[in-house]
């Protein structure tokens, strides 16, 4: 059998549509994971495995259904919206490497006019006086039926007088609540102690027995969790994204009616804002491992997988590098007109632009990277425009899907189309455009566009 015959037969098999009802939905969001990030991470994954890189597949590259998602741009806002998806009677949870009160996870349970109002001390007094409630408080009220919650963000849950358990001597990492409430204690008080666990370090996390645990709150940092490249040096120890996903599915899949799990690779975005391509790509590879773990634990005939992004970044791959060149390295097929080497990866704007400007001021030219380790974790890749925080990109992002009704993703869609597919594939209904509030309603998925003025 020829290679072409094998490929064609495989494609024919994949055209057999899975029209089953989705018992489970696993929704992965790579925050800031644009197409360039996916391509560069794919190459880095392969190079880390000893190959050229281009021939390697990320887990979602194997999904049969691929589409593009348009971005919504309003008041500088580039964030996807998933509206009114109701999970009836299913176990629910979310896992993120950002704070659990950050924009993407917060949209699962909170209603807020501003994404930055994560804690009561973040809300201006004027809005506090008229009754605005912070996102962290809503996590233990509106989100009280969420079975699994894991990520960072202890400081948003603790009062100012509470020292952080991992960094007790660092006042900058202490609680930030003005109201004196300890929301972690309140979460625990509202749960059955026999089947509910709160953990904040790796040892405690590993001790959680999924068979005996129905509710899990894991907060592994005062703020965001570590970049994957720094995770092994964490003081208290942190689980990887794939370890959190594994634990979450082990807990949620006990529900005979199925489950909904949202997983966010939240720090891909933060790394790009910092101009740190190393961390952006390694965090993308960490999400790739998490997708592989989730796929291995579920049945694709009954589990809808979606992998997408909320937006891209102004991140570019130059096309002149030799195929054997490290993706984080320099393109050495030739020098630019100024006689200096250049990196394969670059940004249109960002912190790297500040370093180029400083070089111009001192030497009259851009940085000479001949003897610089451009593959270092703290290296700022070059940027054209000087700005302290690199910006989002505005181009379409990709939707990858596998499982029941995944074939409904095709062509180019508005972002809210994703929500409609999830609802339809799961056999769920909304009433008059609003989620049901009956006793079987576990989680209203509202990944909506937060009204805000500034890009995160």
């Amino acid at each position: 059998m020829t290679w072409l015959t094998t490929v064609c037969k495989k494609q024919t098999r994949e055209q057999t549509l899975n029209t089953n009802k989705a018992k489970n939905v696993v929704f992965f969001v790579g925050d800031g994971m644009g197409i360039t990030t996916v391509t560069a991470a794919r190459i880095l994954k392969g190079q880390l495995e000893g190959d050229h890189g281009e021939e390697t597949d990320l887990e979602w590259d194997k999904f049969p259904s691929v589409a593009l998602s348009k971005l919504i741009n309003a008041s500088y806002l580039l964030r996807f919206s998933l509206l009114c998806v109701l999970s009836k009677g299913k176990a629910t949870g979310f896992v993120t490497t950002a704070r659990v009160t950050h924009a993407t996870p917060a949209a699962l349970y909170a209603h807020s006019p501003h994404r930055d109002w994560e804690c009561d001390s973040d809300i201006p007094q004027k809005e506090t006086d008229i009754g605005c409630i912070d996102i962290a408080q809503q996590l233990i009220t509106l989100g009280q039926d969420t079975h699994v919650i894991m990520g960072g963000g202890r400081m948003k849950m603790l009062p100012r007088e509470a020292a952080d358990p991992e960094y007790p001597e660092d006042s900058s990492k202490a609680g930030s609540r003005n109201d004196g409430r300890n929301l972690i204690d309140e979460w625990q008080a509202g749960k059955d102690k026999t089947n509910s666990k709160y953990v904040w370090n790796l040892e405690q996390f590993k001790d959680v027995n999924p068979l005996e645990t129905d509710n899990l709150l894991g907060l592994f940092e005062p703020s965001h969790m570590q970049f994957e490249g720094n995770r092994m040096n964490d003081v208290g120890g942190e689980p990887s994204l794939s370890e959190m996903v594994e634990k979450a599915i082990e807990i949620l899949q006990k529900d005979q009616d199925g489950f909904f799990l949202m997983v966010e690779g939240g720090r891909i975005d933060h790394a790009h804002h910092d101009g740190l391509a190393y961390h952006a790509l390694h965090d993308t590879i960490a999400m790739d491992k998490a997708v592989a773990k989730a796929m291995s634990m579920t049945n694709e005939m009954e589990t809808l997988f979606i992998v997408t992004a909320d937006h891209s970044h102004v991140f570019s791959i130059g096309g002149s590098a030799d195929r054997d060149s490290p993706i984080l390295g320099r393109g050495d097929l030739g020098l630019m007109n100024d006689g200096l080497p250049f990196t394969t990866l670059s940004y249109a704007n960002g912190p790297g632009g500040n370093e180029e400007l400083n070089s111009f001021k001192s030497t009259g030219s851009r940085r000479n990277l001949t003897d610089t380790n451009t593959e270092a974790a703290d290296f700022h890749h070059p940027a054209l425009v000087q700005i302290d925080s690199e910006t989002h990109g505005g181009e379409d992002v990709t939707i990858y899907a596998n499982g029941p009704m995944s074939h409904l993703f095709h062509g180019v869609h508005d972002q809210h189309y994703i929500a409609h597919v999830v609802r339809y594939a799961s056999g769920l209904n909304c009433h008059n455009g609003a989620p049901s509030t009956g006793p079987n309603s576990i989680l209203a998925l509202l990944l909506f566009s937060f009204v805000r003025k500034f890009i995160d």
Side-chain angles (χ1 to χ4, degrees), residues 185-247:
D185 286 348
E186 291 185 29
W187 180 89
Q188 291 177 294
K191 302 297 180 187
D192 184 340
K193 292 181 174 55
T194 64
N195 64 2
S196 303
K197 302 288 184 184
Y198 163 66
V199 298
W200 65 265
N201 60 45
L202 184 58
E203 181 179 359
Q204 293 173 349
F205 170 84
K206 289 183 176 180
D207 285 342
V208 173
N209 183 344
L211 297 178
E212 299 175 354
T213 305
D214 295 331
N215 301 289
L216 175 61
L217 173 63
L219 301 174
F220 302 105
E221 278 290 323
S223 184
H224 303 302
M225 292 181 68
Q226 300 284 347
F227 288 125
E228 176 63 19
N230 296 336
R231 183 172 59 83
M232 298 308 294
N233 299 321
D234 181 64
V235 176
E238 293 182 8
S240 66
L241 187 60
S242 60
E243 287 173 326
M244 290 192 290
V245 166
E246 179 178 19
K247 189 83 73 175

Side-chain angles (χ1 to χ4, degrees), residues 160-183:
R160 290 192 180 278
E161 59 270 20
D164 187 81
E166 190 172 2
Y167 310 97
E169 304 301 322
D170 189 343
S171 60
S172 69
K173 298 181 184 295
S176 58
R177 299 194 65 83
N178 286 335
D179 58 10
R181 295 174 64 178
N182 185 321
L183 298 184

Side-chain angles (χ1 to χ4, degrees), residues 154-368:
R154 290 190 297 260
M155 63 169 51
K156 303 296 183 181
M157 309 285 283
L158 297 173
R160 290 192 180 278
E161 59 270 20
D164 187 81
E166 190 172 2
Y167 310 97
E169 304 301 322
D170 189 343
S171 60
S172 69
K173 298 181 184 295
S176 58
R177 299 194 65 83
N178 286 335
D179 58 10
R181 295 174 64 178
N182 185 321
L183 298 184
I184 296 173
D185 286 348
E186 291 185 29
W187 180 89
Q188 291 177 294
K191 302 297 180 187
D192 184 340
K193 292 181 174 55
T194 64
N195 64 2
S196 303
K197 302 288 184 184
Y198 163 66
V199 298
W200 65 265
N201 60 45
L202 184 58
E203 181 179 359
Q204 293 173 349
F205 170 84
K206 289 183 176 180
D207 285 342
V208 173
N209 183 344
L211 297 178
E212 299 175 354
T213 305
D214 295 331
N215 301 289
L216 175 61
L217 173 63
L219 301 174
F220 302 105
E221 278 290 323
S223 184
H224 303 302
M225 292 181 68
Q226 300 284 347
F227 288 125
E228 176 63 19
N230 296 336
R231 183 172 59 83
M232 298 308 294
N233 299 321
D234 181 64
V235 176
E238 293 182 8
S240 66
L241 187 60
S242 60
E243 287 173 326
M244 290 192 290
V245 166
E246 179 178 19
K247 189 83 73 175
I249 292 178
E250 287 175 335
I251 292 172
L252 298 175
Q253 68 185 0
K254 294 182 298 182
D255 192 314
Q256 296 302 308
D257 293 321
F259 65 87
F260 173 87
L261 175 65
M262 191 282 287
V263 183
E264 183 195 24
R267 304 229 60 198
I268 300 169
D269 177 67
H270 300 157
H272 277 317
H273 282 309
D274 292 341
L276 299 174
Y278 174 99
H279 285 302
L281 301 189
H282 278 273
D283 271 48
T284 303
I285 294 172
M287 199 174 89
D288 172 68
K289 293 177 180 177
V291 172
K293 174 57 67 176
M295 288 286 291
S296 72
M297 298 178 68
T298 54
N299 182 346
E300 66 177 344
M301 296 307 295
E302 63 180 20
T303 303
L304 173 61
F305 273 83
I306 299 171
V307 177
T308 190
D310 49 354
H311 58 78
S312 183
H313 280 268
V314 290
F315 184 51
S316 176
I317 301 178
S320 299
D322 184 84
R323 191 177 178 206
D324 290 321
S325 298
I327 189 65
L328 289 167
R330 293 179 294 270
D332 291 325
L333 286 180
L335 300 177
M336 301 300 284
N337 291 344
D338 57 8
L340 299 177
F342 61 96
T343 55
T344 300
L345 303 177
S346 62
Y347 292 93
N349 58 54
N354 294 331
E355 297 189 19
E356 301 302 329
L357 178 61
N358 291 336
S359 178
F360 269 107
K361 288 180 177 179
S362 61
T363 68
S365 67
R366 63 190 178 92
R367 284 182 290 173
N368 185 346

Side-chain angles (χ1 to χ4, degrees), residues 45 50-51 59 99-100 129 141 150 442 446:
K45 175 185 176 182
D51 296 325
E59 286 301 313
R99 293 188 296 268
V100 297
D129 292 342
T141 54
M150 283 190 280
I442 301 299
L446 294 169

